[in-house]
């Protein structure tokens, strides 16, 4: 149980295009989902926290107009990288908090590798 | 930055040896967790230790926590080549209760 999926697992796009990444909790309801970004050989940096049905909360330095987050249901959150540029190339990982598992249960997706040419 | 720091940044050992990684953090915590990440892959949760615990074991893993020093260590005993990965500590606590990751240790176990 407690599986989080991401789609796509990798994407290559041209500079200036927008890319949408989906994060789904497959067998549990996630009231809160988190988006992290990881550059090569670096740690995970929290980008934003999204609560179902409300606006996402972004970390300092993360542009909310560039990284659009939608959490429309208890099992799906999406991250859209708008007008992507090469510097947005990174590994994006989502995580979901299990409503029934307690406040400290957080499960991670397998990640999406974005390459912007 | 609230991010914790880990040392060493990289560690290379022989199969069968023990590996120790350390994590230091800055704020008060509710718990500290350790994760493993194989190259280019997602995270695997290894172990969680609560702020009122000092030591925890899980298989070949031993985690200690010293809240007075704001530090934790992860010991992997009898390492295997399959243990080769990056290891991250992550702390949860503070006003926001967010999960914040450390800088990571890259462990290479030579067969």
């Amino acid at each position: 149980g407690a599986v989080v999926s991401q789609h796509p697992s990798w994407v290559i796009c041209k500079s200036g295009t927008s890319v949408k990444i989906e994060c789904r909790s497959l067998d549990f309801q996630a009231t809160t989902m988190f988006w992290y970004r990881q550059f090569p050989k670096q740690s995970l940096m929290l980008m934003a926290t999204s609560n179902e049905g409300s606006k996402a909360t972004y970390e300092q330095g993360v542009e909310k107009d560039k990284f659009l987050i939608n959490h429309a249901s208890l099992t799906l959150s999406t991250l859209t990288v708008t007008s992507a540029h090469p510097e947005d190339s990174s590994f994006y990982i989502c995580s979901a908090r299990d409503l029934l598992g307690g406040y400290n249960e957080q499960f991670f997706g397998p990640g999406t590798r974005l390459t912007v040419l | 930055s609230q991010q914790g720091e880990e040392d060493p940044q990289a560690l290379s050992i022989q199969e069968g040896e023990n590996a120790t990684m350390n994590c230091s953090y800055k704020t008060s915590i509710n718990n500290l967790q350790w994760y493993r990440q194989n190259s280019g892959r997602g995270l695997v949760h290894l172990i969680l230790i609560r702020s009122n615990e000092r030591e925890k074991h899980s298989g070949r893993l031993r985690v200690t926590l010293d809240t007075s020093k704001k530090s934790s260590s992860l010991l992997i005993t009898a390492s295997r080549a399959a243990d080769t990965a990056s290891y991250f500590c992550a702390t949860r606590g503070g006003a926001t209760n967010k999960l914040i990751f450390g800088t990571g240790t890259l462990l290479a176990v030579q067969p």
Side-chain angles (χ1 to χ4, degrees):
Chain A
V3 177
V4 177
S5 70
Q6 281 184 241
H7 178 78
S9 55
W10 60 269
V11 56
I12 301 173
C13 69
K14 293 182 179 179
S15 185
T17 60
S18 294
V19 174
K20 180 184 284 188
I21 302 170
E22 292 186 349
C23 175
R24 294 181 185 272
S25 57
L26 298 185
D27 49 5
F28 66 97
Q29 291 186 327
T31 54
T32 305
M33 287 188 174
F34 307 86
W35 287 95
Y36 292 82
R37 178 168 56 184
Q38 184 181 32
F39 292 108
K41 299 187 186 302
Q42 295 189 26
S43 186
L44 283 75
M45 299 300 293
L46 180 63
M47 298 175 65
T49 303
S50 80
N51 293 298
E52 185 262 339
S54 61
K55 289 183 178 180
T57 302
Y58 291 81
E59 294 299 301
Q60 191 173 11
V62 178
E63 300 175 58
K64 62 180 181 181
D65 294 331
K66 180 164 188 64
F67 299 99
L68 302 179
I69 292 173
N70 183 279
H71 190 170
S73 76
L74 284 172
T75 59
L76 173 64
S77 176
T78 60
L79 167 68
T80 300
V81 183
T82 62
S83 187
H85 291 284
E87 58 265 29
D88 298 323
S89 297
S90 187
F91 194 52
Y92 292 88
I93 302 175
C94 75
S95 177
R97 179 174 287 161
D98 183 345
L99 178 66
L100 297 178
Y103 195 53
N104 289 323
E105 290 289 342
Q106 192 170 326
F107 302 97
F108 287 81
T112 296
R113 184 161 302 283
L114 170 64
T115 302
V116 185
L117 302 177
Chain B
S1 169
Q2 297 180 11
Q3 189 176 42
E5 293 186 3
E6 292 180 57
D7 78 274
Q9 289 186 347
L11 178 61
S12 181
I13 59 174
Q14 295 294 123
E15 209 166 23
E17 294 180 339
N18 295 342
T20 300
M21 288 158 267
N22 302 296
C23 167
S24 61
Y25 56 91
K26 299 177 182 178
T27 62
S28 62
I29 63 171
N30 295 324
N31 65 61
L32 184 146
Q33 304 175 41
W34 286 89
Y35 289 83
R36 184 183 74 221
Q37 183 182 38
N38 290 87
S39 180
R41 307 292 292 274
L43 294 174
V44 175
H45 183 265
L46 296 177
I47 196 167
L48 179 152
I49 185 166
R50 302 184 194 284
S51 60
N52 61 353
E53 297 176 311
R54 291 298 167 258
E55 187 171 315
K56 203 161 184 180
H57 296 255
S58 177
R60 293 184 295 113
L61 306 180
R62 173 177 170 257
V63 170
T64 63
L65 178 64
D66 187 335
T67 53
S68 66
K69 294 181 180 179
K70 290 187 169 58
S71 67
S72 173
S73 68
L74 170 68
L75 168 67
I76 303 174
T77 60
S79 63
R80 305 166 181 167
D83 295 330
T84 295
S86 291
Y87 291 81
F88 296 94
C89 67
T91 56
R92 184 183 296 287
T96 60
N97 212 28
K98 297 175 186 176
L99 192 63
I100 304 298
F101 284 82
T103 51
T105 293
L106 178 59
L107 173 65
V109 181
Q110 310 297 334

